[in-house]
């Protein structure tokens, strides 16, 4: 008998077809899962879950007595209560590395489009408002030879630093829990505390995971420290920023602009004030959203799932303690 597996939200082809051949699969869309009368009965029998942002918290796990593994199709895993998973001998996995370059590309694109006001000026042309050469009120800001402050110098942070320093001759500052000697050697990056980074940077790029320590780490105080000309880029998670404070900082011209791929509420509320600001570039959480990368992530997540269901140690455990318990 095939093992029961839930596919939560989505899995790209051809990985989806392969999983259907191997397992007894049910697909549940994130927004409708808990309203679906088939969801809880299948969850009670399922041994594996693969997908995006499955709510792996105690109230849901109580309904999954046979669950062995939750395989995230993402590098982030703030949707999982890792302590609770470990207590229940459930493995949690993610898909690091394969999306690093894709997210770094997007972060640089977001920085460039915000600095040069590309979405705003795209609409300026399309709306027929371009009648003569643009004047200073439509000018953007240079990116090259400016100072970039990166908050979170992990794999993606280093890939952003590589592009910024080697491609745009930017000076790199970074803030992380521990120094990164390789980044310092390769990109001449300077490790400093958060306050000094914010005070010194022309661009601030936030790329930390969402944890209890990083939730709301950028708020009113931090925006007031930044240069009035600074541009803030968030490609981490929406809740790492106090969104109301970001809105106020933009209104009060405490910072010049923002480029956002993530929000506290996703999909973002259409009434969110950020969507009404010309100096804010807003993307629909597309950090890893290229077909090539999404397929690679799905393949890695499927590999993790198979290992966990076959009694093997997955390569990307986010709660390695669970393996010691077994």
């Amino acid at each position: 008998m095939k093992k029961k597996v839930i596919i939560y939200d989505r899995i790209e082809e051809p990985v989806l077809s392969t999983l259907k051949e191997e397992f007894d699969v049910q697909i549940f869309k994130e927004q409708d899962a808990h309203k679906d009368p088939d969801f809880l009965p299948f969850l009670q029998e399922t041994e594996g879950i693969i997908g995006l942002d499955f709510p792996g918290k105690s109230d849901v796990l109580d309904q999954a007595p046979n669950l062995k593994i939750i395989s995230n199709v993402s590098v982030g895993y703030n949707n999982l209560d890792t302590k609770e998973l470990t207590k229940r001998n459930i493995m949690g996995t993610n898909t690091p590395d394969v999306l690093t370059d894709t997210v770094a590309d997007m972060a640089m694109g977001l920085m460039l489009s915000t600095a040069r006001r590309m979405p705003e000026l795209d609409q300026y042309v399309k709306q027929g408002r371009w009648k003569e050469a643009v004047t200073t009120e439509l000018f953007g800001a240079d990116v090259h030879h400016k100072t970039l402050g990166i908050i979170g110098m992990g794999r993606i942070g280093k890939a952003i630093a590589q592009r910024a320093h080697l491609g745009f001759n930017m000076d790199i500052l970074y803030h992380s829990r521990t120094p990164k000697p390789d980044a310092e050697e390769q990109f001449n990056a300077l490790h400093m505390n958060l306050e000094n980074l914010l005070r010194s940077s022309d661009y601030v790029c936030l790329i930390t995971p969402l944890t209890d320590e990083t939730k709301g780490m950028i708020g009113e105080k931090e925006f007031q420290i930044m240069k009035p000309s600074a541009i803030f880029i968030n490609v981490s998670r929406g809740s790492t920023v106090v969104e109301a404070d970001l809105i106020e900082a933009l209104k009060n011209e405490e910072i010049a602009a923002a480029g956002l791929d993530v929000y506290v509420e996703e999909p973002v509320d259409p009434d969110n004030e950020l969507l009404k600001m010309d100096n804010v570039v807003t993307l629909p959480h597309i950090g890893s959203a290229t077909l090539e990368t999404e397929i690679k992530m799905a393949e890695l997540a499927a590999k993790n799932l198979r290992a966990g269901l076959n009694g093997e140690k997955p390569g990307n455990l986010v709660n390695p303690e669970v393996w010691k318990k077994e």
Side-chain angles (χ1 to χ4, degrees), residues 223-239:
F223 289 121
Q224 289 177 347
I225 293 172
M226 293 183 199
K227 298 178 180 181
S229 58
I231 291 177
F232 176 69
I233 305 296
N234 190 8
V235 290
S236 60
R237 287 292 186 267
S239 294

Side-chain angles (χ1 to χ4, degrees), residues 89-105:
N89 285 322
I90 299 170
M91 292 170 277
T93 66
N94 66 340
T95 57
D97 297 328
V98 292
L99 75 170
T100 296
D101 284 327
T102 301
V103 176
D105 287 350

Side-chain angles (χ1 to χ4, degrees), residues 5-13 16 19 25-34 39 49-55 70-74 79 266-267 284-285 288 294 297-298:
V5 166
I6 284 176
I7 293 178
Y8 193 75
D9 196 40
R10 74 175 192 272
I11 289 287
E12 304 299 335
E13 293 284 8
L16 176 59
L19 290 174
V25 166
Q26 286 277 4
I27 302 172
F28 295 97
K29 294 297 182 183
E30 178 183 355
Q31 62 269 28
D32 300 323
H34 303 289
F39 177 69
I49 296 170
I50 182 171
L52 186 66
D53 288 339
F54 181 83
I70 301 176
S71 181
N72 266 14
V73 189
S74 68
N79 58 303
E266 295 183 4
H285 202 152
S288 62
E294 291 289 341
M297 291 169 63

Side-chain angles (χ1 to χ4, degrees), residues 18-91:
T18 303
L19 290 174
K20 286 180 177 179
E21 292 174 2
E22 296 179 63
F23 304 107
D24 179 2
V25 166
Q26 286 277 4
I27 302 172
F28 295 97
K29 294 297 182 183
E30 178 183 355
Q31 62 269 28
D32 300 323
H34 303 289
K35 300 175 185 177
D36 190 326
D38 295 328
F39 177 69
L40 283 180
F42 200 85
L43 179 63
Q44 289 168 1
E45 297 183 11
T46 198
E47 294 185 48
I49 296 170
I50 182 171
L52 186 66
D53 288 339
F54 181 83
K57 314 293 183 180
S58 59
D59 57 335
V60 177
L61 297 176
D62 286 340
Q63 307 297 320
N66 297 301
L67 187 61
K68 293 182 173 63
I69 183 169
I70 301 176
S71 181
N72 266 14
V73 189
S74 68
V75 66
Y77 51 91
N78 53 285
N79 58 303
L80 304 179
D81 185 335
T82 55
K83 291 182 180 178
E84 192 66 30
L85 291 180
T86 302
K87 186 170 74 175
R88 297 169 187 252
N89 285 322
I90 299 170
M91 292 170 277

Side-chain angles (χ1 to χ4, degrees), residues 3 37 45 62-63 85 117 123 185 189 194 218-219 239 259 264:
K3 295 177 179 179
E45 297 183 11
D62 286 340
Q63 307 297 320
L85 291 180
R117 301 169 64 174
Q123 290 302 306
E185 180 179 351
L194 182 59
I218 304 296
S239 294
V264 172

